[in-house]
Amino acid sequence: MDTLNVMRRLEHGETALTGISWSRSGRYILTFDEAGICIMWDLKTGERRAQVEFDSAIVSARIHPRNSAQFIVCPARETPCLITIHGEVGPPRIDPIRIAADNVDLKSKAAAGTCCCFGKRGNHVFFGTSKGAIHAVHVASQSVVCSIKLSSSTVNTISRNPRGTDIVANSSDRILRVCEVVLPDSAHTLTRPLVDVEPSIKVVSKITDSVNRVSWLQAVFSSSGDYIVAAVDHKAEHNMYVWDKATSSLVKMLTGPNELLEDCAVHPLRPIYASISTFGIIYLWTRVPQQNWNAFAPGFRELEENIDYVEPEDEFDRRVTTSAGMVVDCAEYRARRERRASDSSGEDDKDVLIDVTEDDPLFSDSDSDSEDEGFILPVVVEFDADALPPAVPPTADMQSTVEDDHAMDVDQGHVVEES
């Protein structure tokens, strides 16, 4: 993000990719394509960590937020599967997750999920279906905890709020639905026992463009969790809408070039949005930085218009007479007066004790069990060997010059022959 340079090049294959997923530490990345091939890469070594193949295209896949050795895959015509990597010993384990009825074949489109999303701690995963339902599945037991029927349209995408427990679902009926999720591992259980929590998913608000009736390609929460960024699915427009989650009102519309929008993403910490077009160009959206001259000079004051400055009578005097009749140095007198004024204002400012040892689980996401929390992507220098100039072989003139320099060093006593 600082240099905007390419850090790694990964060759997945010749088939078009349908999406990627990052691990929470940033060390591993999951790529999947239309041929049903799913590959997890280790960015530290640049090698493949695991590879899984399916019979149909993969529409969605996500890495576990707390365990990078697990990830969820949603094939287009198969039931979703939980993949577990056991290091370098043996192939990955594939566990099918049934989200459809018992009489539905696992190798059919009716049993497949259209999208998936992990919960905050990874204990639950949410699946969207082509029948407009969302299922919350417990990862350990692989059983459906609760479900909700949003509409009869397909659920295209599901995104989780990084600062809360709610999710946003994008359906084919052109409506974004914000759902409040209550699960045993959510923040609601910190103030009451687990037995009192009844798992549920409830729609709290709906967002739609009632004027243009546009379709949504993707919908994600902002880094603060207060806004929803939705990408418009249009053939000749590159627009993104920013909605207020609390009021469901439009805050800002970001208009880009006349290029088809493929996907969008949000920076996890900074107010930066990213969008990619069909031409492979990535656009970064952020606010225009304002110049703050006070950062360079603390006493600097910006003026909106010119003012008339009245020069004090003793401004450039070396000595000044105080009200008590004493003649003192002007610079020392001004410094003493400013020091007295600062001391009097400092008495009103009291120290405030700020607790920085405890994290609020609703607004903090730093309690991680990942062993690669401090991973930094190493820089790999790539160069084209064909573009380098050819090596010049030494000539007779260059050899004689080297011998003359060596003889000069011997004459000056710089070279001592070994006995």
Side-chain angles (χ1 to χ4, degrees):
M1 289 297 296
D2 296 331
T3 62
L4 300 181
N5 291 331
V6 178
M7 300 294 292
R8 283 288 187 276
R9 293 184 183 272
L10 306 175
E11 297 292 338
H12 179 92
E14 299 180 356
T15 310
L17 295 178
T18 55
I20 62 174
S21 176
W22 285 84
S23 66
R24 189 170 182 269
S25 63
R27 176 175 176 177
Y28 303 102
I29 184 173
L30 187 68
T31 60
F32 44 96
D33 58 12
E34 296 178 350
I37 300 176
C38 188
I39 303 175
M40 177 177 284
W41 301 85
D42 187 354
L43 297 182
K44 184 176 182 179
T45 60
E47 299 178 353
R48 301 186 180 189
R49 187 184 183 189
Q51 178 173 342
V52 183
E53 298 183 5
F54 294 89
D55 297 334
S56 59
I58 300 176
V59 295
S60 180
R62 292 294 181 268
I63 300 180
H64 195 286
R66 305 290 175 171
N67 183 10
S68 59
Q70 287 185 340
F71 57 92
I72 289 289
V73 178
C74 289
R77 298 184 179 277
E78 300 178 36
T79 187
C81 297
L82 175 65
I83 313 300
T84 306
I85 303 174
H86 299 284
E88 299 180 355
V89 181
R93 189 183 66 190
I94 303 177
D95 297 325
I97 299 178
R98 178 180 290 274
I99 59 176
D102 296 338
N103 57 353
V104 177
D105 186 13
L106 296 181
K107 294 292 183 178
S108 62
K109 187 177 181 180
T114 56
C115 55
C116 63
C117 175
F118 272 102
K120 181 177 181 179
R121 302 187 181 278
N123 295 334
H124 296 83
V125 59
F126 303 96
F127 293 100
T129 64
S130 58
K131 297 182 179 180
I134 294 180
H135 304 285
V137 178
H138 191 260
V139 176
S141 61
Q142 300 180 8
S143 59
V144 177
V145 178
C146 58
S147 303
I148 183 175
K149 179 74 172 181
L150 299 180
S151 64
S152 59
S153 303
T154 304
V155 180
N156 297 325
T157 61
I158 300 176
S159 298
R160 174 181 58 88
N161 190 348
R163 304 295 180 184
T165 58
D166 46 351
I167 59 176
V168 57
N170 171 29
S171 302
S172 300
D173 57 358
R174 305 177 182 182
I175 298 178
L176 303 178
R177 294 174 175 85
V178 180
C179 303
E180 180 183 1
V181 179
V182 178
L183 294 174
D185 64 335
S186 62
H188 298 78
T189 63
L190 297 179
T191 57
R192 55 181 177 175
L194 296 178
V195 294
D196 297 339
V197 176
E198 182 179 357
S200 64
I201 303 176
K202 181 176 63 175
V203 178
V204 294
S205 62
K206 297 180 181 180
I207 299 175
T208 181
D209 187 1
S210 58
V211 178
N212 300 323
R213 295 293 298 174
V214 296
S215 300
W216 308 109
L217 181 67
Q218 178 66 273
V220 293
F221 282 94
S222 63
S223 57
S224 62
D226 298 329
Y227 302 94
I228 296 176
V229 183
V232 177
D233 187 7
H234 195 275
K235 295 182 179 180
E237 292 183 357
H238 193 102
N239 300 336
M240 292 191 300
Y241 289 44
V242 182
W243 302 86
D244 190 348
K245 187 190 71 172
T247 61
S248 301
S249 59
L250 181 63
V251 178
K252 185 72 174 179
M253 184 176 69
L254 306 177
T255 304
N258 295 330
E259 301 174 2
L260 178 61
L261 180 62
E262 290 288 347
D263 200 358
C264 69
V266 176
H267 195 280
L269 300 177
R270 299 159 62 182
I272 299 177
Y273 306 147
S275 61
I276 183 171
S277 66
T278 53
F279 297 100
I281 303 176
I282 300 176
Y283 297 94
L284 298 180
W285 306 78
T286 184
R287 59 179 300 179
V288 179
Q290 301 292 334
Q291 294 181 349
N292 184 15
W293 295 101
N294 294 330
F296 302 97
F300 185 84
R301 183 167 62 109
E302 297 183 9
L303 301 178
E304 298 181 358
E305 58 182 6
N306 295 333
I307 61 174
D308 296 333
Y309 178 70
V310 180
E311 176 185 340
E313 183 180 355
D314 59 346
E315 182 175 2
F316 298 101
D317 296 343
R318 292 187 176 180
R319 294 182 177 274
V320 65
T321 303
T322 63
S323 58
M326 299 177 57
V327 179
V328 296
D329 185 79
C330 185
E332 181 181 354
Y333 177 72
R334 287 200 185 95
R336 188 185 310 164
R337 186 170 54 185
E338 293 176 358
R339 194 183 309 112
R340 189 182 301 111
S342 62
D343 293 343
S344 60
S345 61
E347 294 177 356
D348 300 334
D349 299 337
K350 296 182 180 180
D351 295 338
V352 179
L353 181 60
I354 301 177
D355 186 9
V356 296
T357 58
E358 297 183 1
D359 296 332
D360 190 344
L362 186 59
F363 299 99
S364 176
D365 200 21
S366 60
D367 49 344
S368 174
D369 300 331
S370 176
E371 58 184 2
D372 301 317
E373 185 65 24
F375 172 73
I376 298 178
L377 183 63
V379 178
V380 177
V381 180
E382 297 182 357
F383 61 91
D384 189 2
D386 299 334
L388 297 177
V392 180
T395 61
D397 296 339
M398 297 175 58
Q399 186 68 22
S400 61
T401 304
V402 174
E403 294 177 356
D404 294 342
D405 294 342
H406 179 73
M408 185 179 297
D409 293 338
V410 173
D411 295 338
Q412 295 178 0
H414 296 163
V415 178
V416 179
E417 295 183 358
E418 296 181 359
S419 56

mmCIF file of all heavy atoms in Angstrom, residues 278-294:
data_model
loop_
_atom_site.group_PDB
_atom_site.id
_atom_site.type_symbol
_atom_site.label_atom_id
_atom_site.label_comp_id
_atom_site.label_asym_id
_atom_site.label_seq_id
_atom_site.Cartn_x
_atom_site.Cartn_y
_atom_site.Cartn_z
ATOM 1 N N THR A 278 -12.499 -4.641 -15.447
ATOM 2 C CA THR A 278 -12.246 -5.762 -16.350
ATOM 3 C C THR A 278 -10.914 -5.646 -17.065
ATOM 4 O O THR A 278 -10.403 -6.637 -17.582
ATOM 5 C CB THR A 278 -13.362 -5.835 -17.398
ATOM 6 O OG1 THR A 278 -13.489 -4.556 -18.038
ATOM 7 C CG2 THR A 278 -14.683 -6.209 -16.755
ATOM 8 N N PHE A 279 -10.324 -4.458 -17.100
ATOM 9 C CA PHE A 279 -9.023 -4.267 -17.734
ATOM 10 C C PHE A 279 -7.859 -4.589 -16.794
ATOM 11 O O PHE A 279 -6.699 -4.388 -17.161
ATOM 12 C CB PHE A 279 -8.889 -2.829 -18.242
ATOM 13 C CG PHE A 279 -9.884 -2.477 -19.305
ATOM 14 C CD1 PHE A 279 -11.032 -1.760 -18.983
ATOM 15 C CD2 PHE A 279 -9.693 -2.860 -20.620
ATOM 16 C CE1 PHE A 279 -11.962 -1.430 -19.955
ATOM 17 C CE2 PHE A 279 -10.620 -2.538 -21.601
ATOM 18 C CZ PHE A 279 -11.756 -1.821 -21.271
ATOM 19 N N GLY A 280 -8.164 -5.053 -15.578
ATOM 20 C CA GLY A 280 -7.120 -5.386 -14.624
ATOM 21 C C GLY A 280 -6.550 -4.199 -13.886
ATOM 22 O O GLY A 280 -5.494 -4.315 -13.255
ATOM 23 N N ILE A 281 -7.205 -3.048 -13.939
ATOM 24 C CA ILE A 281 -6.734 -1.839 -13.263
ATOM 25 C C ILE A 281 -7.382 -1.759 -11.888
ATOM 26 O O ILE A 281 -8.603 -1.900 -11.757
ATOM 27 C CB ILE A 281 -7.056 -0.581 -14.085
ATOM 28 C CG1 ILE A 281 -6.449 -0.688 -15.492
ATOM 29 C CG2 ILE A 281 -6.539 0.675 -13.392
ATOM 30 C CD1 ILE A 281 -6.811 0.470 -16.395
ATOM 31 N N ILE A 282 -6.575 -1.541 -10.870
ATOM 32 C CA ILE A 282 -7.051 -1.419 -9.496
ATOM 33 C C ILE A 282 -7.121 0.063 -9.147
ATOM 34 O O ILE A 282 -6.122 0.792 -9.285
ATOM 35 C CB ILE A 282 -6.139 -2.161 -8.508
ATOM 36 C CG1 ILE A 282 -6.091 -3.657 -8.847
ATOM 37 C CG2 ILE A 282 -6.608 -1.958 -7.078
ATOM 38 C CD1 ILE A 282 -5.139 -4.442 -7.983
ATOM 39 N N TYR A 283 -8.274 0.494 -8.686
ATOM 40 C CA TYR A 283 -8.485 1.886 -8.293
ATOM 41 C C TYR A 283 -8.606 1.946 -6.770
ATOM 42 O O TYR A 283 -9.338 1.162 -6.166
ATOM 43 C CB TYR A 283 -9.745 2.457 -8.942
ATOM 44 C CG TYR A 283 -9.688 2.509 -10.451
ATOM 45 C CD1 TYR A 283 -10.197 1.465 -11.230
ATOM 46 C CD2 TYR A 283 -9.121 3.589 -11.111
ATOM 47 C CE1 TYR A 283 -10.150 1.512 -12.618
ATOM 48 C CE2 TYR A 283 -9.068 3.640 -12.499
ATOM 49 C CZ TYR A 283 -9.585 2.601 -13.237
ATOM 50 O OH TYR A 283 -9.533 2.637 -14.609
ATOM 51 N N LEU A 284 -7.886 2.896 -6.165
ATOM 52 C CA LEU A 284 -7.945 3.128 -4.725
ATOM 53 C C LEU A 284 -8.714 4.413 -4.469
ATOM 54 O O LEU A 284 -8.423 5.460 -5.069
ATOM 55 C CB LEU A 284 -6.532 3.223 -4.124
ATOM 56 C CG LEU A 284 -5.661 1.975 -4.257
ATOM 57 C CD1 LEU A 284 -4.300 2.209 -3.631
ATOM 58 C CD2 LEU A 284 -6.333 0.771 -3.614
ATOM 59 N N TRP A 285 -9.676 4.331 -3.550
ATOM 60 C CA TRP A 285 -10.530 5.464 -3.219
ATOM 61 C C TRP A 285 -10.273 5.874 -1.775
ATOM 62 O O TRP A 285 -10.313 5.044 -0.866
ATOM 63 C CB TRP A 285 -12.007 5.107 -3.380
ATOM 64 C CG TRP A 285 -12.375 4.551 -4.716
ATOM 65 C CD1 TRP A 285 -12.152 3.277 -5.159
ATOM 66 C CD2 TRP A 285 -13.004 5.235 -5.798
ATOM 67 N NE1 TRP A 285 -12.617 3.124 -6.435
ATOM 68 C CE2 TRP A 285 -13.150 4.313 -6.865
ATOM 69 C CE3 TRP A 285 -13.478 6.538 -5.972
ATOM 70 C CZ2 TRP A 285 -13.748 4.659 -8.066
ATOM 71 C CZ3 TRP A 285 -14.077 6.868 -7.175
ATOM 72 C CH2 TRP A 285 -14.200 5.948 -8.203
ATOM 73 N N THR A 286 -10.016 7.161 -1.573
ATOM 74 C CA THR A 286 -9.826 7.690 -0.228
ATOM 75 C C THR A 286 -10.115 9.188 -0.261
ATOM 76 O O THR A 286 -10.243 9.792 -1.347
ATOM 77 C CB THR A 286 -8.399 7.430 0.293
ATOM 78 O OG1 THR A 286 -8.293 7.896 1.645
ATOM 79 C CG2 THR A 286 -7.372 8.149 -0.560
ATOM 80 N N ARG A 287 -10.190 9.793 0.879
ATOM 81 C CA ARG A 287 -10.468 11.221 0.954
ATOM 82 C C ARG A 287 -9.217 12.020 0.600
ATOM 83 O O ARG A 287 -8.086 11.566 0.807
ATOM 84 C CB ARG A 287 -10.949 11.604 2.351
ATOM 85 C CG ARG A 287 -9.980 11.294 3.453
ATOM 86 C CD ARG A 287 -10.520 11.728 4.799
ATOM 87 N NE ARG A 287 -10.784 13.148 4.829
ATOM 88 C CZ ARG A 287 -11.283 13.790 5.886
ATOM 89 N NH1 ARG A 287 -11.586 13.103 6.979
ATOM 90 N NH2 ARG A 287 -11.489 15.082 5.849
ATOM 91 N N VAL A 288 -9.424 13.241 0.087
ATOM 92 C CA VAL A 288 -8.301 14.103 -0.284
ATOM 93 C C VAL A 288 -7.647 14.628 0.989
ATOM 94 O O VAL A 288 -8.331 15.193 1.854
ATOM 95 C CB VAL A 288 -8.775 15.272 -1.157
ATOM 96 C CG1 VAL A 288 -7.609 16.181 -1.517
ATOM 97 C CG2 VAL A 288 -9.456 14.742 -2.407
ATOM 98 N N PRO A 289 -6.344 14.425 1.171
ATOM 99 C CA PRO A 289 -5.704 14.883 2.409
ATOM 100 C C PRO A 289 -5.694 16.406 2.496
ATOM 101 O O PRO A 289 -5.440 17.101 1.513
ATOM 102 C CB PRO A 289 -4.282 14.314 2.304
ATOM 103 C CG PRO A 289 -4.047 14.131 0.835
ATOM 104 C CD PRO A 289 -5.385 13.781 0.243
ATOM 105 N N GLN A 290 -5.986 16.923 3.678
ATOM 106 C CA GLN A 290 -5.974 18.353 3.929
ATOM 107 C C GLN A 290 -4.624 18.770 4.502
ATOM 108 O O GLN A 290 -4.062 18.096 5.366
ATOM 109 C CB GLN A 290 -7.095 18.735 4.906
ATOM 110 C CG GLN A 290 -8.480 18.377 4.419
ATOM 111 C CD GLN A 290 -8.909 19.208 3.227
ATOM 112 O OE1 GLN A 290 -8.424 20.335 3.039
ATOM 113 N NE2 GLN A 290 -9.813 18.676 2.419
ATOM 114 N N GLN A 291 -4.102 19.889 4.005
ATOM 115 C CA GLN A 291 -2.822 20.380 4.493
ATOM 116 C C GLN A 291 -2.980 20.985 5.876
ATOM 117 O O GLN A 291 -3.814 21.865 6.085
ATOM 118 C CB GLN A 291 -2.252 21.420 3.528
ATOM 119 C CG GLN A 291 -1.879 20.870 2.163
ATOM 120 C CD GLN A 291 -1.309 21.930 1.262
ATOM 121 O OE1 GLN A 291 -1.363 23.115 1.572
ATOM 122 N NE2 GLN A 291 -0.759 21.515 0.136
ATOM 123 N N ASN A 292 -2.184 20.487 6.799
ATOM 124 C CA ASN A 292 -2.216 20.969 8.178
ATOM 125 C C ASN A 292 -0.872 21.620 8.483
ATOM 126 O O ASN A 292 0.110 20.946 8.795
ATOM 127 C CB ASN A 292 -2.500 19.811 9.139
ATOM 128 C CG ASN A 292 -2.629 20.274 10.579
ATOM 129 O OD1 ASN A 292 -2.789 21.466 10.845
ATOM 130 N ND2 ASN A 292 -2.577 19.339 11.513
ATOM 131 N N TRP A 293 -0.837 22.946 8.376
ATOM 132 C CA TRP A 293 0.425 23.650 8.604
ATOM 133 C C TRP A 293 0.797 23.673 10.079
ATOM 134 O O TRP A 293 1.957 23.933 10.423
ATOM 135 C CB TRP A 293 0.320 25.079 8.067
ATOM 136 C CG TRP A 293 0.157 25.121 6.585
ATOM 137 C CD1 TRP A 293 -0.997 25.318 5.888
ATOM 138 C CD2 TRP A 293 1.184 24.931 5.606
ATOM 139 N NE1 TRP A 293 -0.776 25.272 4.542
ATOM 140 C CE2 TRP A 293 0.570 25.041 4.332
ATOM 141 C CE3 TRP A 293 2.547 24.681 5.675
ATOM 142 C CZ2 TRP A 293 1.278 24.903 3.147
ATOM 143 C CZ3 TRP A 293 3.252 24.558 4.492
ATOM 144 C CH2 TRP A 293 2.629 24.663 3.261
ATOM 145 N N ASN A 294 -0.147 23.425 10.961
ATOM 146 C CA ASN A 294 0.189 23.395 12.393
ATOM 147 C C ASN A 294 1.106 22.239 12.737
ATOM 148 O O ASN A 294 1.765 22.252 13.783
ATOM 149 C CB ASN A 294 -1.086 23.307 13.224
ATOM 150 C CG ASN A 294 -1.936 24.560 13.091
ATOM 151 O OD1 ASN A 294 -1.409 25.639 12.882
ATOM 152 N ND2 ASN A 294 -3.248 24.402 13.196
#
